[in-house]
Amino acid sequence: MSLLDSLNNDLKTAMKAHDKETLSTVRMLKAATTNEQIKVGRTLTSDEEVSVLSRELKQRKDSVDEFTAADRTDLVPALEKEIEIVERYLPEQLSEDDVKSIVEETIRQVGATSKADFGKVMGAVMPKLKGQADGKIVNSVVKSLLN
């Protein structure tokens, strides 16, 4: 089942259950996916769908950080609920240990030896972890292993 089919089914379920939070989040995800599909002019691949979902998740996580920094904690619970709903559609997230082993393997593959090779390692490891790990975690693991 494609992401759009799954979103449509969940949209109907949320409507029937009068679950406004889920309904609005699923509508937002459906709109983002549809807009991306229109932009590329074809049906999205599963990797492209994961990219859209990851982008939406990152936007919400960044907003939580910004609202917390601005002392607008009243807005944080709603965003956390949205994050929870978006995460339902993403693949299982890797643990930090799994990320570390993949990064170590990538460092060996690209022959990285110092901090100067950070960009080369990130460029090689991010496609492997797309949608499976938060970029901030990958970034910190790469930095710690190259030091």
Side-chain angles (χ1 to χ4, degrees), residues 10-11 13-28 78 81-82 85:
D10 291 348
L11 188 70
T13 304
M15 281 182 187
K16 289 177 183 175
H18 302 288
D19 183 355
K20 291 181 181 181
E21 292 172 327
T22 303
L23 183 62
S24 68
T25 304
V26 170
R27 278 183 175 153
M28 174 273 310
K81 179 68 175 166
E82 285 185 19
I85 294 166

Side-chain angles (χ1 to χ4, degrees), residues 121-132:
V121 173
M122 286 298 288
V125 80
M126 285 311 288
K128 294 179 184 179
L129 297 173
K130 189 171 201 135
Q132 297 177 328

Side-chain angles (χ1 to χ4, degrees), residues 9 15 19 23-24 29 35 39 43 56 58 63 65 70 74 80 86 90-91 100 102 110:
N9 289 339
M15 281 182 187
D19 183 355
L23 183 62
S24 68
L29 290 174
N35 287 340
K39 182 176 157 185
T43 304
E56 294 297 322
K58 184 178 181 333
S63 294
D65 293 341
D74 56 315
E80 287 175 341
V86 174
L90 283 169
K100 186 174 182 179
I102 292 171
V110 299

